[in-house]
């Protein structure tokens, strides 16, 4: 069926841009008075009135004469009283917002150009993620490889950590067929350029001390000063995948179903389905990726949960939990897999009345891992954890999720001995004091 040609009736003075846009959509009849407007024959798709010409009686006359035609008042602020069939549309701010968006994309495209230039010479590029690659970092690495127009041969995605164990991450890598390499520091000589995503050079300590990193894209706070050619640190974003999605869009790169699925999953996990530390950019990226992602596959990835053998570990851990001053503490003792610790911290937040959740345990007989969550509208978890633990190990994170990793050798230095009881006491005391100071300083405000 052929669509009827749109007809627009414009009443009053208008911007030529607006009239021009409408004339591309159909026939525009432009009149300057109500009288002329009522003398027209035929029907209109929309009547557009300039805000200075609009009043209640005109609205009434037009509605009687053209009962089927919606009325739009151009650039008018919505008045207190309601007019049936009348819509107040701020055309100027809509157009201005769109222009601002395009300007932003143009600026971002320029950044993509700089990023590409940084790595253009490299025969073999290393895209490096942190030691415990999570969906956000893996998706960002994949996106960066596409953005840099590289493939598995010319750009390796790698990390220095243990073999990946968290079930969702294993499932993501398997289902999306992502090749992630377990590197040793001596492998670094194979690469002539390094790009980092979701992590920054100081995280790697001395491993990278002799190598210049080409680029860093991350949403964690800037940790220290370091020298790179290209750096994009956007702490306001909930996920590095959001930054990469914006880059791909700005550079007009096609996002495949596989990549869209990975990025969507990256944003979902880092923001707990847009519930934690998410901002409008994350929501926009999510909305953009959603129609292109394979949601069936995503469900299969997300379904992969805890192996049955590890359920016991949760039970034992929960038996050793306590709540003091709205802080949920749980000591997992020795764990084989690190992900059990943040999972327990997440669980702690489900307990009624809890504002902070702290889960800790000893991994591989070498490190104390402390995972922290909070409700999100109090002091930043990342800041608190940094203040408390940065002198002892690596510590940091976001508003409502953070983590500290402290070598047991350091714990022995502080406590004399690093038994479970000593560690438990120490962690509890650290939080009690830090949160007390914090509430004192709140009172000062
Ligand atoms: Mn992330």
């Amino acid at each position: 069926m052929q669509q009827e040609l749109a007809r627009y009736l414009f009443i009053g003075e208008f911007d030529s841009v607006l009239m021009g846009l409408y004339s591309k959509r159909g026939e525009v009849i432009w009149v300057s008075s109500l009288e002329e407007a009522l003398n027209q024959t035929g029907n209109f798709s929309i009547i557009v009135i300039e805000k200075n010409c609009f009043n209640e009686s005109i609205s009434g006359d037009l509605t009687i004469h053209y009962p089927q035609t919606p009325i739009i008042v151009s650039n008018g602020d919505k008045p207190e009283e309601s007019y049936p069939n009348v819509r107040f549309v701020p055309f100027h701010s809509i157009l201005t917002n769109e222009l601002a968006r395009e300007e932003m994309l143009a600026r971002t495209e320029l950044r993509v150009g700089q990023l590409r230039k940084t790595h253009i010479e490299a025969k073999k590029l290393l895209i490096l993620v942190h030691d415990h690659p999570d969906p956000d970092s893996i998706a960002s690495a994949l996106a960066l490889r596409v953005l840099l127009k590289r493939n598995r041969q010319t750009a390796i995605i790698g990390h220095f950590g243990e073999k990946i164990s968290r079930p969702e991450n294993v499932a993501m890598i398997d289902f999306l067929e992502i090749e992630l390499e377990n590197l040793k520091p001596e492998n670094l000589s194979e690469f002539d350029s390094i790009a980092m995503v979701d992590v920054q050079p100081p995280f790697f300590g001395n491993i990278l001390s002799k190598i210049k990193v080409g680029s860093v894209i991350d949403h964690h706070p800037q940790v220290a000063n370091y020298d790179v050619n290209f750096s994009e640190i956007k702490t306001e974003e909930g996920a590095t995948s959001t930054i990469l999605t914006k880059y791909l869009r700005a550079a007009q790169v096609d996002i495949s179903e596989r990549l869209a699925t990975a990025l969507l999953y990256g944003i979902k996990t880092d923001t707990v389905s847009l519930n934690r530390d998410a901002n409008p950019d994350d929501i926009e990226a999510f909305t953009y990726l959603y129609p292109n992602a394979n949601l069936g596959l995503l469900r299969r990835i997300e379904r992969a949960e805890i192996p049955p053998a590890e359920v016991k570990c949760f039970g034992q851990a929960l038996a050793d939990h306590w709540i003091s001053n709205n802080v949920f503490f749980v000591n997992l003792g020795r764990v084989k897999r690190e992900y059990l610790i943040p999972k327990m911290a997440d669980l702690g937040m489900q307990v009624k009345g809890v504002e902070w959740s702290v889960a800790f345990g000893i991994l591989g007989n070498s490190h104390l891992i402390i995972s922290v969550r909070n409700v999100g509208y109090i002091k930043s978890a990342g800041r608190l954890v940094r203040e408390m633990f940065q002198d002892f190990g690596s510590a940091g994170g976001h508003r409502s999720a953070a983590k500290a990793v402290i070598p047991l050798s350091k714990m022995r230095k502080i406590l004399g001995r690093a038994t479970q009881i000593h560690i438990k006491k120490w962690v509890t005391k650290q939080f009690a004091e830090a949160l007390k100071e914090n509430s004192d300083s709140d009172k000062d405000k």
Side-chain angles (χ1 to χ4, degrees):
M1 201 176 75
Q2 207 183 344
Q3 218 184 329
E4 213 180 312
L5 185 69
R7 286 183 87 217
Y8 301 105
L9 178 60
F10 275 66
I11 308 169
E13 293 282 321
F14 289 95
D15 207 306
S16 59
V17 174
L18 189 65
M19 302 269 284
L21 287 172
Y22 269 95
S23 67
K24 290 221 163 50
R25 298 170 59 87
E27 184 190 358
V28 171
I29 312 249
W30 176 30
V31 300
S32 53
S33 69
L34 175 70
E35 210 181 349
E36 284 175 87
L38 298 178
N39 276 333
Q40 301 301 316
T41 49
N43 254 321
F44 292 97
S45 319
I46 300 272
I47 298 169
V48 186
I49 312 181
E50 207 276 324
K51 68 173 173 197
N52 294 326
C53 295
F54 181 79
N55 58 45
E56 202 179 338
S57 87
I58 286 183
S59 163
D61 289 347
L62 286 169
T63 309
I64 292 164
H65 202 84
Y66 301 104
Q68 302 297 328
T69 310
I71 298 168
I72 284 178
V73 179
S74 151
N75 298 326
D77 293 325
K78 204 170 183 320
E80 300 263 303
E81 63 267 59
S82 75
Y83 294 94
N85 301 334
V86 180
R87 193 169 176 82
F88 294 79
V89 180
F91 285 112
H92 277 114
S93 62
I94 292 174
L95 289 175
T96 312
N97 290 346
E98 280 303 305
L99 290 177
R101 259 188 65 75
E102 291 304 321
E103 277 175 26
M104 183 274 289
L105 286 172
R107 266 198 305 277
T108 307
E109 192 169 0
L110 203 71
R111 293 284 287 156
V112 172
Q114 293 161 353
L115 173 63
R116 282 175 170 159
K117 218 167 134 202
T118 299
H119 299 292
I120 192 121
E121 303 278 332
K123 281 203 187 70
K124 202 160 183 188
L125 170 71
L126 170 62
I127 301 177
L128 186 59
V129 297
H130 39 79
D131 291 359
H132 304 280
D134 58 7
D136 183 38
S137 63
I138 299 167
S140 300
L142 209 58
L144 182 63
R145 187 159 73 188
V146 172
L147 189 74
L148 297 177
K149 302 174 193 159
R150 286 177 179 264
N151 55 34
R152 286 173 186 201
Q153 277 73 45
T154 60
I156 302 296
I157 301 172
H159 67 102
F160 291 116
E162 307 279 306
K163 202 170 172 319
I164 292 182
S165 65
R166 199 175 167 119
E168 299 95 306
N169 299 349
V170 173
M172 177 187 187
I173 289 165
D174 286 352
F175 284 129
L176 296 175
E177 294 172 20
I178 299 165
E179 275 169 24
L180 203 61
E181 295 211 7
N182 240 164
L183 302 169
K184 296 269 165 291
E186 52 268 30
N187 299 126
L188 281 171
S189 58
E190 296 162 24
F191 302 98
D192 27 25
S193 190
I194 298 180
M196 258 180 216
V197 285
D198 207 35
V199 67
Q200 296 171 43
F203 176 87
F204 297 97
N206 292 328
I207 301 177
L208 296 173
S209 59
K210 292 196 188 72
I211 300 157
K212 175 141 188 234
V213 176
S215 69
V216 174
I217 303 174
D218 193 12
H219 68 129
H220 298 90
Q222 179 99 29
V223 265
N225 283 330
Y226 48 84
D227 183 27
V228 286
N229 276 336
F230 179 95
S231 148
E232 185 82 283
I233 308 294
K234 285 205 169 289
T235 49
E236 68 273 23
E237 313 289 23
T240 302
S241 295
T242 297
I243 307 172
L244 265 307
T245 303
K246 204 193 272 178
Y247 275 22
L248 291 166
R249 290 180 71 180
Q252 298 177 48
V253 175
D254 279 336
I255 301 180
S256 68
E257 185 185 84
R258 170 172 169 259
L259 183 55
T261 310
L263 287 166
L264 191 73
Y265 188 46
I267 297 171
K268 260 188 106 170
T269 52
D270 259 33
T271 63
V272 192
S273 298
L274 301 178
N275 264 318
R276 184 178 74 195
D277 300 325
N279 78 359
D281 286 349
D282 299 307
I283 294 165
E284 195 188 309
F286 189 95
T287 314
Y288 181 78
L289 295 165
Y290 195 84
N292 298 320
N294 184 333
L295 301 178
L297 196 60
L298 197 57
R299 268 191 287 277
R300 284 170 71 184
I301 294 171
E302 289 177 326
R303 239 201 104 211
E305 277 298 330
I306 310 141
E310 280 162 10
V311 177
K312 263 216 160 63
C313 179
F314 281 98
Q316 279 158 6
L318 269 182
D320 192 7
H321 87 269
W322 62 103
I323 298 169
S324 112
N325 291 324
N326 299 337
V327 187
F328 176 95
F329 290 96
V330 57
N331 173 24
L332 284 97
R334 288 180 195 284
V335 292
K336 284 210 189 82
R337 302 190 193 281
E338 180 175 343
Y339 79 88
L340 297 167
I341 300 169
K343 261 207 164 27
M344 282 306 281
D346 285 337
L347 186 75
M349 285 312 299
Q350 312 278 313
V351 179
K352 194 175 171 185
V354 160
E355 281 195 325
W356 290 85
S357 172
V358 180
F360 57 96
I362 293 164
L363 182 72
N365 216 0
S366 63
H367 288 83
L368 170 67
I369 314 269
I370 305 168
S371 184
V372 180
R373 302 285 184 267
N374 74 19
V375 283
Y377 47 77
I378 47 181
K379 178 169 179 153
S380 157
R383 200 142 39 97
L384 189 83
V385 166
R386 224 169 22 253
E387 284 165 12
M388 275 191 288
F389 301 116
Q390 67 180 353
D391 294 342
F392 311 123
S394 73
H398 306 286
R399 259 205 87 63
S400 56
K403 149 178 156 178
V405 181
I406 305 169
L408 280 189
S409 54
K410 191 90 198 178
M411 291 306 305
R412 277 185 212 106
K413 263 189 210 146
I414 306 165
L415 301 173
R417 292 175 65 201
T419 65
Q420 300 268 353
I421 296 166
H422 286 86
I423 289 172
K424 201 170 145 177
K425 261 196 186 148
W426 183 73
V427 172
T428 318
K429 200 172 136 234
Q430 292 287 319
F431 275 92
E433 278 169 10
L435 291 172
K436 187 177 167 292
E437 276 168 30
N438 189 38
S439 66
D440 288 349
S441 65
D442 279 352
K443 272 178 220 142
D444 294 343
K445 271 177 213 157

